[in-house]
Amino acid sequence: MEVKKVINLVILWLILFISFASADDATTEANLKIDFQFLRKRMVSQQIQARGIKDKRVLEAMLKVERHRFVPERIQHLAYEDTPLPIGYSQTISQPYIVALMTELLELKGDEKVLEIGTGSGYQAAILAELAKEVYTIEIIPELAQSAERLLKELGYQNIQVRCGDGYLGWPQVAPFEAIIVTCAPEKIPEPLIEQLAEEGRLVIPVGTTYQELKLITKKKGKLQEKSIIPVRFVPMIRR
Ligand code: SAH
């Protein structure tokens, strides 16, 4: 079973490499023929529901948001595969299941103010915007912050604010947040994020160096409760 998984992954990365190397004008035309809605439905049932994600609103958001719009055109045909994908600047868009899992852990009902650290492509921000009232997202690489902001605007999202900066510091001007999600990995939980978490708030964050543990932190009566969810691999949190 494990061997099969590794072989599949090697094949996928080979396709990815060839796609990057052979991109040409025919890419756009080829992409037009792909039934992305079918691929999205299959992604949700086979990768997300099958692994135990139950929150109906999360499943609906994952069905709705067009993940292929958030990856480079040359690899749009791979957007619904069970893997993270490169988005430039040595960064990646997370695996769909991880996006769903982290989002479900936030238990969003619709009236929350959410903070995301690590905007990247803007995909996770779009998912959050479907499920909460306001989304504030911080990205440290200016080019990624700009392209995500442009795309989210183009897609019609009016409840997302993108800011370029160091997410370690959070966004004190708009705190507290009922939910905080961190999609890059710090070695330790940044103190400012704990301070900016609202009472009864939930923080989902990968913590560690090469290998990390996905943690859920909840704040109750000023006290923190910490729960380890699963081992994960995220890009490191960059400090300025
Ligand atoms: N959530 C993203 C995936 C993020 S990849 C998506 O849906 O596409 C992690 C991102 O965190 C990268 O874009 C990286 O540049 C960014 N990042 C790393 N350190 C950061 C920091 N200190 N503050 C804000 N963003 C940071």
Side-chain angles (χ1 to χ4, degrees):
M1 192 60 198
E2 276 306 307
V3 176
K4 209 174 145 201
K5 248 186 181 170
V6 172
I7 293 172
N8 279 341
L9 211 66
V10 169
I11 292 172
L12 192 68
W13 281 93
L14 214 60
I15 295 172
L16 202 70
F17 178 75
I18 294 164
S19 303
F20 259 120
S22 67
D24 57 23
D25 290 346
T27 311
T28 312
E29 207 180 314
N31 283 344
L32 285 173
K33 294 187 187 133
I34 300 174
D35 186 351
F36 288 116
Q37 198 180 353
F38 167 79
L39 295 179
R40 215 157 37 244
K41 277 188 190 155
R42 196 178 64 178
M43 169 191 84
V44 170
S45 67
Q46 294 185 358
Q47 300 170 33
I48 296 173
Q49 277 181 301
R51 291 197 181 107
I53 303 296
K54 291 195 180 67
D55 187 326
K56 283 211 174 68
R57 295 178 72 241
V58 173
L59 297 172
E60 269 163 30
M62 301 285 300
L63 271 178
K64 182 175 168 194
V65 178
E66 299 189 325
R67 183 172 160 95
H68 64 279
R69 297 292 306 268
F70 295 84
V71 304
E73 205 180 356
R74 302 183 292 282
I75 55 167
Q76 280 193 343
H77 60 294
L78 302 174
Y80 300 97
E81 295 296 324
D82 193 12
T83 179
L85 290 170
I87 53 169
Y89 309 93
S90 310
Q91 304 304 326
T92 53
I93 178 173
S94 308
Q95 180 191 5
Y97 168 65
I98 294 294
V99 173
L101 174 67
M102 291 174 82
T103 309
E104 185 175 64
L105 287 168
L106 295 176
E107 293 185 5
L108 300 171
K109 300 286 177 285
D111 56 356
E112 299 85 356
K113 195 157 67 172
V114 185
L115 174 66
E116 180 196 23
I117 310 303
T119 316
S121 67
Y123 177 68
Q124 173 76 69
I127 296 286
L128 296 169
E130 296 288 339
L131 300 168
K133 192 167 157 213
E134 293 165 32
V135 178
Y136 294 84
T137 179
I138 308 177
E139 169 57 52
I140 202 159
I141 298 175
E143 291 84 353
L144 286 176
Q146 279 158 20
S147 56
E149 187 172 26
R150 203 179 320 122
L151 176 60
L152 291 165
K153 203 175 256 173
E154 195 184 307
L155 295 175
Y157 287 101
Q158 293 183 343
N159 58 342
I160 306 177
Q161 303 282 329
V162 183
R163 169 165 147 180
C164 184
D166 184 356
Y168 183 94
L169 305 168
W171 198 321
Q173 297 83 354
V174 273
F177 300 94
E178 284 78 34
I180 302 180
I181 175 169
V182 183
T183 63
C184 48
E187 277 179 39
K188 283 187 187 145
I189 301 171
E191 199 55 43
L193 299 186
I194 289 175
E195 279 161 22
Q196 292 170 33
L197 188 63
E199 184 58 35
E200 298 289 321
R202 302 168 75 79
L203 162 64
V204 175
I205 181 168
V207 186
T209 47
T210 319
Y211 291 92
Q212 307 115 21
E213 195 66 28
L214 186 66
K215 292 188 183 273
L216 167 67
I217 316 291
T218 46
K219 202 186 242 186
K220 284 196 177 121
K221 298 199 173 110
K223 285 208 179 114
L224 299 179
Q225 283 171 9
E226 191 178 308
K227 192 175 162 192
S228 283
I229 308 295
I230 50 164
V232 283
R233 268 198 101 168
F234 275 83
V235 294
M237 181 180 268
I238 305 163
R239 292 306 318 278
R240 274 201 180 132

